[in-house]
Amino acid sequence: MNPNAYRERAERGEVQLGTWVTMIRTPAVLTLLRSAGLDFVRVDMEHSSFSMETVADMAILARALDFPMVVRPPEGNREWITRLLDAGVWNLHVPQVDTPEQAAAVASCCRYAPLGERGMYGFGPHTEYRTLPPAEHMAAANARVHVTIMLETKEAFERLDEIASVPGIDALTLGPTDLAQNLGVLGTPKQKPVLDEHRRRLVEAARKHGKAVAMITDSVEGVRQMIALGATIINYSSDTHSGPASRPRASPASYLHRLLCGTPPQVDDGGGPGRALTRLLCPLRGG
């Protein structure tokens, strides 16, 4: 089984660039986005109509392509986490985590004993239908999974340091629109400075507790801003985005690449999926 490149790059502090998939439900979209040079794709089940069956099919293709797929479940409970992990999803992006107790419950659902209480299912898509000794299976699964939690309320930021300290949580992020709504600044002149301040606070807490930082943005300048801030997992736009001056006339992959780089996608230069585009967009990355 391939290692989890998304987790490995996060642990090395490398900048990774991906995009949301919120509407295109054919798994083949992963091949297009990988060809565009992205490092990962993030599938949204919270605000979209994706079924469990569709996401499971996408997870199979993602593993075959060695193209990391992240999934945001509708809710960070045991049912959704267990089903997604058992379907072979390795990376979770969990919404609406307001307390350290919630964060600890999420972490526990994502890992087997002794690190957590993930429900045991020893043979299935998540093992590629290979039978392993229980201890070996549990240790490998615990090391492979990557868990990001979203802080989206005033309550969450009042307990930011406690949440950031929870073991088993690998990365922190915020939900800018829900957070702005909760803080009463959505659509007002205060929205940008208030969110920027909360982003800075989140980055400081993440650094203090050894967590990675994920951020979303819908502009190239926003990508550079998030990298400068300290984020290394960057989600740029989505499959449904089209700029104000133009709409996609080719594949979503070609359109994304033109938005980011001004050129059609090129053959990968040998640095692995996504490295060419990340180097073009993110000179701060290094290497």
Side-chain angles (χ1 to χ4, degrees):
M1 187 179 295
N2 292 325
N4 185 353
Y6 182 82
R7 180 179 180 85
E8 290 186 344
R9 289 196 290 259
E11 289 176 339
R12 293 194 296 266
E14 295 181 20
V15 172
Q16 305 185 71
L17 180 69
T19 194
W20 284 111
V21 172
T22 62
M23 184 187 74
I24 302 175
R25 293 189 290 275
T26 171
V29 70
L30 302 185
T31 64
L32 297 177
L33 296 175
R34 183 181 184 274
S35 296
L38 298 179
D39 296 300
F40 67 91
V41 64
R42 186 181 296 159
V43 176
D44 188 13
M45 296 184 77
E46 183 186 18
H47 295 293
S48 75
S49 57
F50 282 103
S51 69
M52 186 66 218
E53 291 87 349
T54 297
V55 172
D57 287 345
M58 296 176 87
I60 291 172
L61 182 56
R63 295 194 305 274
L65 293 171
D66 195 19
F67 181 47
M69 185 176 89
V70 185
V71 176
R72 176 163 69 177
E75 185 179 354
N77 60 26
R78 185 182 187 277
E79 177 186 359
W80 278 110
I81 290 173
T82 300
R83 295 186 74 195
L84 287 168
L85 293 178
D86 287 350
V89 173
W90 294 347
N91 308 293
L92 296 177
H93 195 83
V94 179
Q96 297 291 342
V97 175
D98 293 332
T99 69
E101 291 79 14
Q102 281 182 276
V106 168
S108 180
C109 290
C110 290
R111 288 179 171 86
Y112 295 116
L115 303 180
E117 297 180 348
R118 174 180 170 181
M120 175 54 65
Y121 178 44
F123 181 77
H126 62 307
T127 67
E128 296 186 347
Y129 295 98
R130 299 170 184 171
T131 301
L132 298 173
E136 183 179 341
H137 162 60
M138 294 162 70
N142 285 349
R144 188 181 300 117
V145 69
H146 186 277
V147 184
T148 302
I149 57 171
M150 302 181 68
L151 282 68
E152 305 185 76
T153 63
K154 178 181 179 182
E155 179 186 2
F157 275 85
E158 287 173 346
R159 305 187 69 181
L160 173 59
D161 190 72
E162 293 176 82
I163 293 172
S165 70
V166 173
I169 300 301
D170 302 294
L172 305 178
T173 191
L174 53 77
T177 306
D178 279 347
L179 179 60
Q181 176 180 239
N182 182 263
L183 296 174
V185 298
L186 183 64
T188 74
K190 293 182 179 180
Q191 180 172 336
K192 185 179 186 304
V194 167
L195 288 180
D196 283 345
E197 174 59 26
H198 282 74
R199 289 185 181 102
R200 284 191 289 270
R201 290 176 56 195
L202 185 137
V203 169
E204 290 174 2
R207 285 175 174 165
K208 176 181 176 181
H209 294 286
K211 315 291 189 188
V213 173
M215 290 290 177
I216 63 171
T217 183
D218 59 4
S219 70
V220 173
E221 183 52 43
V223 173
R224 297 191 178 103
Q225 176 191 350
M226 297 309 165
I227 294 169
L229 185 65
T232 56
I233 301 170
I234 313 293
N235 199 97
Y236 171 85
S237 193
S238 75
D239 58 347
T240 58
H241 173 80
S242 60
S246 64
R247 293 185 181 275
R249 298 180 182 272
S251 69
S254 298
Y255 181 61
L256 265 174
H257 201 287
R258 278 197 295 272
L259 282 174
L260 295 171
C261 304
T263 62
Q266 303 295 317
V267 176
D268 181 57
D269 67 354
R275 300 295 87 201
L277 178 56
T278 307
R279 279 194 291 273
L280 282 169
L281 184 65
C282 312
L284 298 177
R285 174 182 168 269

